[in-house]
Amino acid sequence: PPAGAAGDLAALAVLDEAALLEGLRERFLRQQIYTDIGDILIAVNPFQPLPLYGREVAERYRHQETGALPPHIFAVASRAYHAMLGRRGGGPQSQCIVI
């Protein structure tokens, strides 16, 4: 599959600057502005309104399994919230999100 097809660029065989930028470019052209690189979420400004933040979208990500849905800021929030409450196993863990 093309480099940008993967929702998580960490899964690429070669992850260098060129592959990263090409993957982000390909996803941007398909209006997929969120891309995972392992535990890191990269957001690219779409320069247009996209239907990414409605109540239906938020509900889909509320209890999602990691990787079950495309990368999204709601997935980051859900993972952090559930880890903070200890619902990911191993007891409650402090969380930090850098924007």
Side-chain angles (χ1 to χ4, degrees), residues 60-99:
R60 276 187 277 156
Y61 283 90
R62 175 170 274 169
H63 299 290
Q64 72 124 24
E65 292 297 320
T66 302
L69 294 172
H72 198 286
I73 191 68
F74 291 162
V76 171
S78 179
R79 283 192 305 266
Y81 178 73
H82 290 288
M84 179 183 70
L85 296 177
R87 294 182 182 161
R88 299 271 183 216
Q93 298 176 343
S94 297
Q95 300 295 302
C96 176
I97 299 173
V98 177
I99 299 176

Side-chain angles (χ1 to χ4, degrees), residues 3-87:
D8 187 345
L9 295 184
L12 295 176
V14 175
L15 182 57
D16 58 13
E17 184 178 358
L20 173 72
L21 293 175
E22 181 60 23
L24 292 173
R25 180 184 161 283
E26 288 177 20
R27 292 181 60 77
F28 174 82
L29 293 175
R30 290 194 313 270
Q31 295 185 333
Q32 296 173 320
I33 65 164
Y34 292 117
T35 303
D36 284 329
I37 304 174
D39 288 337
I40 298 170
L41 177 73
I42 294 183
V44 179
N45 187 340
F47 299 104
Q48 63 179 308
L50 295 175
L52 297 174
Y53 307 107
R55 181 177 301 276
E56 313 82 41
V57 176
E59 286 300 318
R60 276 187 277 156
Y61 283 90
R62 175 170 274 169
H63 299 290
Q64 72 124 24
E65 292 297 320
T66 302
L69 294 172
H72 198 286
I73 191 68
F74 291 162
V76 171
S78 179
R79 283 192 305 266
Y81 178 73
H82 290 288
M84 179 183 70
L85 296 177
R87 294 182 182 161

